[in-house]
Amino acid sequence: MSGALARYRICDFTGQLAGAGATKWLAAFGAEVIRIEDPVRQGRWDILRGMEPFKDERRGIDLGGAFNNHNTGKYGITLNLRTTKAREILAEIVRQSDVVTENFAAGVLENWGFGYDALRALRPDIIYVSNCGFGHTGPYAEFKTWGPIVQAVSGLTHLSTLPGQPPAGWGYSYMDHTGGYYMAMAILLALIHRERTGEGQWVDLACTEAALTLHGPTLLDWSVNGRGTRADAEQRNSNRSQWLPMAPHGIYPAQGDDEWVAVVCRHDADWQQLGRVIDADWCQSPSWQTAAGRVEDQDRLDAAMSSWTRTRDKHAIAGALRAAGIPASPVMRPAERVDEDPATGDFGLWPTVAHSAIGEVRVDGLPVHLSETDWSITRGAPCLGEHNAEILGRLLGYSRETVDALTAEGVL
Amino acid sequence: MTALNGMRVIELAHERVAFAGKLLADMGADVILVEPPGGAAERHHPPFLNDAPGPDRSLWWWHYHTSKRSVEIDLGAPAGRERLLALIDQADVLIEAEPTRRLADLGLDWPDLATRRPTLIHAALTPFGRGNPASDLPATDLTLMAGGGPVWSCGYDDHSLPPVRGLGDQAANTGCHYAVMSILTALLARMTTGRGQFIDVSIHAALNVTTEGGSYQWLVNGTTVQRQTGRHASIVPTGPTQVQCADGRYVNTGVPPRIPAEFAALNEWLNALGLADQLPEAVFLEMGATWQGPFDLSLIGKDDTVTAVFGAGREALKLIARSISAYDFFMGCQRAGLATGIIYAPEEAFEDPHFRARGFDVPVFHPELDRYIRYPGAPWRMPASPWRIARRAPTLGEHEHELFGPEDS
């Protein structure tokens, strides 16, 4: 177990991925992350808890594969916050925690009586990090979001498209992952600040604002040059180079069903190398010998490229081009990049965890290694209330009998 | 004070690591950008101020290098290496995206740096990891996104169209997010151990674990998601969620109603708009409004009634969307408690009243232009340690005197 964050305890209300992904990082570096879940609704404020994918086709509230993926190494307790006793227990846990985290819609925790002022009354230097789509202030503060909504409103969806098509957008919640990264950064920054000053704070993270920061040059092109991205939306091909004059720059069909390869010529030298590999007359076309000429004529250039790639294996194409110094990559299928790619396997990217109900299953690891305090992911997500006795025993001194009685009373 | 006030970060200029430096610099770290003689290549990265190129006119440069200072150092010359080491001697963090052997060849790599400066945190960001020779092969955002997983999941229902790479240099952005998370973690670790460490960040690995079901569907039960238009890639095809509104703009109809209050609000809105008689599934919508007990989403496609009720919510949203403007749809749905979104261009979001009211756009003074430029602002509101753009991106060699004095520059 990594010691980097072992001295911190997180009282964690997060769910889904945008929140749970943040505290997964903390747990992997040794923080004690205690998930608080509602026994009455079986923890369903995290919709992923009992959702697919399932291993061995076993379904159930403890068997959700995505939930397991996002909650490795955390503890889980149940608290029925409708009861006074559960609220007292929560208050004591907050007193002993460094950070309280949640990604409910704005105001939910406040309505339960555990807004920032209440948390601060329990522990003056508490760090409270909330993560919601639009933040806790402003006209849309009450609005609800999911990753795809954040991506829609922030412009990420709009800038993922092909000509004459509606937006393709992102085929997954890029901003749930990335919102979680921003939440993790915010927690770590607030911890650093507290270590240096003794001061806690409430961090209001609006996922849509975090997403907007990912379009910096586009926004400056707007605010400085007045150039927007709406007028040419119908013609946009986001597989082409966004800023630099590079062509060819595309994703081309390869041999086989739904197989594709990405190829980029960064400059004329790449183009000349490409011509040596392809060795076809069209590579010598005079108007294509300069980047400007190729960018100008990309539709025809892409058609020529496709005619060459279509009958060839994507790995063979990428291998030959990379050997010639040209950026290229197969579009990797999940099976290929997970099971057949040393760059992920040898990196240790897919650790196997032991989950109390699911058994052994692989999960997303972390794409970094720290030489002195590296991460460790070995334990699966908690089952509902799995650590009630352990945590309430350790933090509040409750006996097993007390925990059983509280369970019978509907507190846990 | 800001969270990283007084922390010194040395950044070896490279397009892939620039965002990590910005995230630290805007939180108060003193980030010193080390550029090669003549300036970094990214100074010539479009777009440009008034579309006119020039080393201090790149808007890409402006965005990714806010709050940093800059010096020119020739790492190929002994004197240059001494200057870098002088900076390292006072640094907390080194961030770089150099070829895997370059710093070792110059005698400037971990662990030599640790011997000299045991508290140093050295983060290396490479395409495939520091130990992988593939990191030295050419790669761009497109090839990294294609190989790392994102592209497989993005595109259209029609698989004769190629899969799609979303714009915004998201490969480097994702690598930089992980680099910063790692650096902050290492800074906290250093507070107890007193020692720095080496951090190896793989962009390819970062993308691989930023694909949701793309990875974990395969990990859990060996199934492969298939891309769909404007919504999650999926094992089982799901209904469209993207609708073109009456004004030609698109919305994402999000997650349809799942609880009685949401079905009821949607039904009420449908009636208020006078559209109820155009919805054949209206009866199921009413059924949803009076549903008793839990509405189990995992039964969609398995239980006929649950499937019909869920489908009615989705159809009602599509019907309304086609009948009104995208913005009105967004507002109406959200007021009914439904998580839907207008598909904005980034600049439309930038000008939207919500983000303006929150002060997301911030003015940054450019003394050479004698004007303020509106920049994208804080990714979080951290009142005790505020995010802030301290100054515009540095001009070439702007801080030579400050850092090395007149005799040495």
Side-chain angles (χ1 to χ4, degrees):
Chain A
M1 180 62 78
S2 170
L5 303 176
R7 63 193 184 281
Y8 299 118
R9 178 175 295 128
I10 318 297
C11 175
D12 187 20
F13 290 91
T14 63
Q16 334 294 350
L17 171 57
T23 53
K24 173 181 180 173
W25 173 275
L26 305 178
F29 284 96
E32 183 181 85
V33 178
I34 303 171
R35 280 187 64 95
I36 313 294
E37 301 191 87
D38 177 17
V40 177
R41 295 194 58 228
Q42 291 198 296
R44 278 199 175 84
W45 72 52
D46 189 334
I47 193 174
L48 299 178
R49 210 183 207 300
M51 289 282 280
E52 291 169 333
F54 298 113
K55 191 181 180 198
D56 305 328
E57 297 179 29
R58 290 190 296 134
R59 313 172 76 85
I61 197 69
D62 288 325
L63 300 173
F67 179 85
N68 178 51
N69 192 68
H70 306 330
N71 289 287
T72 50
K74 302 180 191 176
Y75 295 89
I77 68 168
T78 46
L79 286 178
N80 179 3
L81 295 172
R82 299 163 195 82
T83 68
T84 305
K85 183 64 185 172
R87 299 164 67 83
E88 287 170 11
I89 294 171
L90 176 61
E92 186 50 36
I93 292 172
V94 169
R95 276 188 206 101
Q96 296 186 41
S97 294
D98 301 281
V99 185
V100 175
T101 48
E102 54 98 347
N103 61 316
F104 295 123
V108 169
L109 208 60
E110 175 91 46
N111 291 342
W112 290 353
F114 287 92
Y116 179 54
D117 288 337
L119 296 172
R120 192 166 42 167
L122 293 167
R123 176 163 173 156
D125 67 349
I126 197 79
I127 292 165
Y128 166 41
V129 182
S130 60
N131 174 3
C132 60
F134 290 103
H136 278 67
T137 62
Y140 306 164
E142 308 289 318
F143 288 10
K144 296 178 185 168
T145 60
W146 295 73
I149 304 306
V150 171
Q151 289 150 209
V153 175
S154 65
L156 280 160
T157 303
H158 173 74
L159 291 182
S160 177
T161 192
L162 292 178
Q165 298 290 331
W170 292 72
Y172 54 98
S173 288
Y174 176 56
M175 278 316 298
D176 279 356
H177 279 289
T178 302
Y181 304 155
Y182 277 89
M183 190 175 190
M185 285 187 264
I187 294 165
L188 295 164
L189 284 162
L191 281 168
I192 290 171
H193 180 80
R194 198 196 66 179
E195 293 285 359
R196 302 177 83 195
T197 66
E199 187 181 21
Q201 60 185 312
W202 171 14
V203 182
D204 174 20
L205 171 60
C207 220
T208 313
E209 289 179 336
L212 266 171
T213 68
L214 304 179
H215 289 302
T218 300
L219 293 176
L220 285 180
D221 200 22
W222 164 254
S223 74
V224 173
N225 292 328
R227 184 183 295 115
T229 62
R230 176 63 68 182
D232 57 353
E234 280 291 304
Q235 289 79 45
R236 180 170 294 107
N237 179 339
S238 62
N239 289 340
R240 291 185 177 169
S241 176
Q242 186 172 15
W243 303 113
L244 292 162
M246 300 192 282
H249 190 289
I251 293 173
Y252 303 103
Q255 188 180 62
D257 179 29
D258 208 15
E259 302 289 0
W260 306 86
V261 62
V263 180
V264 170
C265 284
R266 296 162 295 173
H267 36 53
D268 292 344
D270 278 351
W271 169 251
Q272 285 150 17
Q273 280 293 86
L274 185 76
R276 288 184 194 108
V277 174
I278 294 179
D279 193 23
D281 289 347
W282 55 266
C283 299
Q284 306 308 321
S285 171
S287 63
W288 289 354
Q289 300 314 307
T290 64
R294 290 191 301 278
V295 168
E296 186 70 22
D297 200 15
Q298 268 190 100
D299 288 346
R300 287 182 56 230
L301 182 63
D302 284 349
M305 283 294 297
S306 298
S307 72
W308 183 73
T309 58
R310 196 180 297 281
T311 57
R312 289 169 170 80
D313 175 76
K314 64 179 180 180
H315 296 286
I317 295 169
L321 297 184
R322 294 176 84 188
I326 302 162
S329 173
V331 171
M332 298 274 266
R333 292 168 173 268
E336 294 170 329
R337 60 187 176 76
V338 172
D339 287 345
E340 299 160 20
D341 180 6
T344 65
D346 293 353
F347 200 82
L349 195 60
W350 316 111
T352 297
V353 298
H355 184 284
S356 302
I358 299 173
E360 290 203 336
V361 60
R362 287 187 297 173
V363 296
D364 288 344
L366 304 181
V368 303
H369 288 298
L370 277 64
S371 63
E372 306 299 313
T373 60
D374 206 8
W375 55 273
S376 166
I377 293 177
T378 58
R379 194 155 51 83
C383 294
L384 198 61
E386 180 171 353
H387 303 101
N388 283 356
E390 179 182 344
I391 293 295
L392 297 184
R394 184 141 50 84
L395 269 58
L396 284 84
Y398 287 4
S399 66
R400 169 70 73 171
E401 291 70 32
T402 305
V403 170
D404 288 345
L406 290 170
T407 306
E409 290 165 27
V411 171
L412 304 180
Chain B
M1 65 177 264
T2 51
L4 302 179
N5 202 27
M7 300 271 187
R8 178 168 283 187
V9 178
I10 310 301
E11 172 185 336
L12 304 187
H14 192 291
E15 60 177 337
R16 289 195 188 116
V17 84
F19 195 36
K22 172 181 167 65
L23 285 161
L24 298 169
D26 291 341
M27 287 308 295
D30 177 19
V31 178
I32 298 171
L33 188 59
V34 175
E35 300 187 59
E42 296 79 55
R43 288 186 173 278
H44 306 282
H45 199 306
F48 299 102
L49 168 65
N50 297 335
D51 294 331
D56 297 319
R57 302 176 67 89
S58 161
L59 306 184
W60 192 99
W61 182 269
W62 286 10
H63 173 70
Y64 282 110
H65 293 305
T66 53
S67 310
K68 300 178 190 175
R69 301 198 282 173
S70 167
V71 290
E72 273 179 276
I73 295 183
D74 181 4
L75 295 181
R81 293 196 285 278
E82 285 307 312
R83 292 180 83 191
L84 181 68
L85 287 170
L87 289 176
I88 298 273
D89 284 343
Q90 296 172 41
D92 297 283
V93 178
L94 169 67
I95 53 176
E96 47 93 1
E98 297 300 305
T100 59
R101 300 286 314 157
R102 179 164 191 246
L103 293 184
D105 291 346
L106 294 171
L108 297 171
D109 203 7
W110 194 270
D112 292 342
L113 293 178
T115 308
R116 188 180 176 110
R117 177 81 172 161
T119 55
L120 184 72
I121 293 162
H122 174 173
L125 182 66
T126 56
F128 297 94
R130 241 321 182 75
N132 191 334
S135 289
D136 295 328
L137 294 172
T140 71
D141 185 71
L142 186 79
T143 64
L144 289 167
M145 295 283 275
V151 163
W152 171 260
S153 294
C154 302
Y156 296 95
D157 296 334
D158 177 358
H159 283 201
S160 72
L161 293 168
V164 175
R165 179 274 312 240
L167 292 177
D169 286 324
Q170 304 306 338
N173 289 347
T174 301
C176 286
H177 294 147
Y178 272 106
V180 171
M181 289 155 71
S182 302
I183 290 164
L184 298 176
T185 300
L187 282 168
L188 284 165
R190 196 179 70 173
M191 289 176 184
T192 52
T193 66
R195 296 175 57 207
Q197 53 186 318
F198 180 77
I199 299 167
D200 180 9
V201 185
S202 160
I203 295 174
H204 178 68
L207 294 172
N208 262 274
V209 294
T210 308
T211 69
E212 256 190 320
S215 293
Y216 63 65
Q217 286 284 161
W218 180 259
L219 292 167
V220 172
N221 60 20
T223 50
T224 300
V225 296
Q226 302 294 333
R227 63 188 185 275
Q228 307 188 100
T229 305
R231 62 197 189 280
H232 273 57
S234 181
I235 307 299
V236 180
T238 58
T241 59
Q242 208 163 259
V243 179
Q244 195 165 24
C245 291
D247 63 350
R249 297 198 175 190
Y250 287 89
V251 290
N252 186 313
T253 57
V255 178
R258 293 171 300 138
I259 56 173
E262 291 170 351
F263 283 106
L266 183 59
N267 197 32
E268 192 179 317
W269 189 25
L270 193 74
N271 280 294
L273 289 168
L275 294 169
D277 58 351
Q278 295 179 41
L279 186 74
E281 299 89 346
V283 59
F284 290 107
L285 202 60
E286 283 164 20
M287 200 182 281
T290 56
W291 192 269
Q292 301 293 318
F295 191 69
D296 187 350
L297 293 180
S298 72
L299 294 177
I300 294 166
K302 298 182 177 71
D303 178 286
D304 287 348
T305 310
V306 169
T307 306
V309 169
F310 189 76
R314 194 187 286 287
E315 290 309 311
L317 285 173
K318 282 157 64 177
L319 173 62
I320 294 174
R322 284 193 298 268
S323 310
I324 61 179
S325 77
Y327 190 77
D328 287 347
F329 178 82
F330 173 45
M331 290 296 115
C333 281
Q334 287 283 2
R335 285 180 189 131
L338 294 169
T340 66
I342 184 169
I343 296 179
Y344 267 147
E347 67 275 11
E348 293 165 351
F350 197 58
E351 304 300 347
D352 177 278
H354 177 77
F355 302 105
R356 295 300 301 273
R358 275 174 66 85
F360 175 73
D361 60 318
V362 295
V364 176
F365 189 61
H366 281 244
E368 297 75 15
L369 308 175
D370 194 28
R371 64 183 266 215
Y372 286 90
I373 304 282
R374 289 169 63 218
Y375 277 63
W380 41 56
R381 304 302 156 110
M382 208 174 284
S385 45
W387 179 99
R388 184 171 80 92
I389 293 180
R391 70 182 78 80
R392 54 120 180 86
T395 56
L396 182 57
E398 183 175 355
H399 303 95
E400 296 282 334
H401 277 54
E402 266 177 44
L403 287 160
F404 292 109
E407 73 283 356
D408 198 32
S409 55

